[in-house]
Amino acid sequence: MIKVKLKKSLLELKIDIDFIVNEKFVSIFGKSGSGKTTILRCIAGLETPDEGQVVFKDITWFSSEKNINLPPQKRSISFVFQQPALFPNMSVEENIRYAMSKKDEKFFERLVSIANIEKLLNRKPKNLSGGEKQKVSLIRAIARKPDVLLLDEPFTALDFETKFEIYEELKILSKDIGFYTILVSHDIFEVSKFTNKVFYIEKGSITKTGKPTEILPIKQYFRL
């Protein structure tokens, strides 16, 4: 369980949110500029809220009241950004192994097999397609065995087939490893297809919470 309660004032936006993540795969959905990415960055410890708390299970990652603010490396999280952040001088295999906290050959082989990237292991990032880079970024993030995986619209530019393939792999790994996933997106189809619960954010506040089919205008969107 993840408890997030925070306030953060930006130049043109005041974020004031309070929610609890119980499900393994949830999304924060809203228009660009509504505060989605800032919330993820506060959870990760990349930005500091003005006040509030972020608690994972019984571990406090941030509390303005208790003066606790663990740095990102002390929070069991992995963050996948919109742009792949692979080390350009390392091969795919080296990128993945670098992220692993300890040597675990069986786990490494399982990640590679599920993602079907055996043929990419010796390549450098410059020799990968956009979809391949994002897939490797995701696998590297999961190689850390995080408790929480944060996704900041990393698959927006990908075609549907590649996106679907990556999400199917993510579901398998999430079930096996047991981490929570929080996806930030403004893609209504992506959210409705791949997440169990949606936190709908508007102008820095969560206005609706529920299953995608309950709170998103899916039929109107696709003109069904």
Side-chain angles (χ1 to χ4, degrees):
M1 181 174 66
I2 311 165
K3 296 180 181 179
V4 181
K5 182 177 182 180
L6 60 87
K7 294 182 180 180
K8 177 78 172 177
S9 293
L10 305 175
L11 289 176
E12 299 179 355
L13 182 69
K14 287 188 177 181
I15 296 174
D16 186 351
I17 54 107
D18 185 354
F19 65 91
I20 295 176
V21 176
N22 286 314
E23 292 79 3
K24 288 295 185 179
F25 207 137
V26 305
S27 58
I28 302 174
F29 175 85
K31 296 179 179 179
S32 297
S34 58
K36 304 185 301 297
T37 294
T38 299
I39 293 170
L40 281 197
R41 291 179 63 83
C42 287
I43 294 173
L46 299 174
E47 289 194 31
T48 302
D50 297 331
E51 61 179 277
Q53 64 174 356
V54 179
V55 180
F56 174 73
K57 294 184 177 178
D58 58 348
I59 304 171
T60 300
W61 288 351
F62 173 80
S63 172
S64 55
E65 183 179 349
K66 298 178 181 179
N67 197 29
I68 296 173
N69 188 15
L70 298 186
Q73 61 269 27
K74 295 291 185 180
R75 308 184 189 198
S76 184
I77 62 100
S78 285
F79 204 132
V80 183
F81 299 90
Q82 293 180 12
Q83 297 298 323
L86 300 173
F87 296 115
N89 60 321
M90 293 184 181
S91 67
V92 166
E93 179 173 355
E94 290 169 336
N95 265 279
I96 296 171
R97 290 189 183 278
Y98 182 85
M100 300 176 73
S101 57
K102 62 180 181 179
K103 188 174 181 180
D104 187 338
E105 203 60 31
K106 282 188 176 181
F107 182 55
F108 173 80
E109 291 175 0
R110 176 157 175 72
L111 288 176
V112 170
S113 176
I114 289 175
N116 193 26
I117 56 173
E118 291 91 342
K119 295 180 180 179
L120 306 180
L121 291 178
N122 294 322
R123 295 188 192 177
K124 296 287 182 65
K126 67 179 181 180
N127 297 318
L128 302 177
S129 67
E132 289 169 342
K133 288 178 183 177
Q134 288 294 34
K135 183 182 286 192
V136 173
S137 293
L138 177 65
I139 295 304
R140 189 181 68 172
I142 295 172
R144 293 190 60 203
K145 292 187 178 179
D147 289 317
V148 181
L149 177 65
L150 304 176
L151 304 177
D152 186 11
E153 303 191 84
F155 313 130
T156 301
L158 304 183
D159 61 84
F160 174 78
E161 184 177 350
T162 302
K163 188 182 297 187
F164 183 85
E165 180 182 332
I166 290 176
Y167 274 114
E168 288 302 305
E169 292 159 0
L170 178 56
K171 285 182 178 180
I172 294 171
L173 291 166
S174 177
K175 183 177 180 180
D176 287 356
I177 301 171
F179 55 82
Y180 291 82
T181 299
I182 304 177
L183 166 70
V184 151
S185 179
H186 64 266
D187 184 325
I188 195 169
F189 181 77
E190 187 174 54
V191 168
S192 63
K193 180 67 178 177
F194 301 112
T195 62
N196 305 317
K197 187 174 184 178
V198 180
F199 298 99
Y200 194 108
I201 187 169
E202 296 178 281
K203 298 180 180 179
S205 298
I206 293 174
T207 57
K208 292 181 286 187
T209 302
K211 295 180 180 179
T213 52
E214 295 173 344
I215 67 171
L216 298 179
I218 297 171
K219 289 186 178 181
Q220 295 90 326
Y221 183 84
F222 292 107
R223 297 181 181 179
L224 299 179

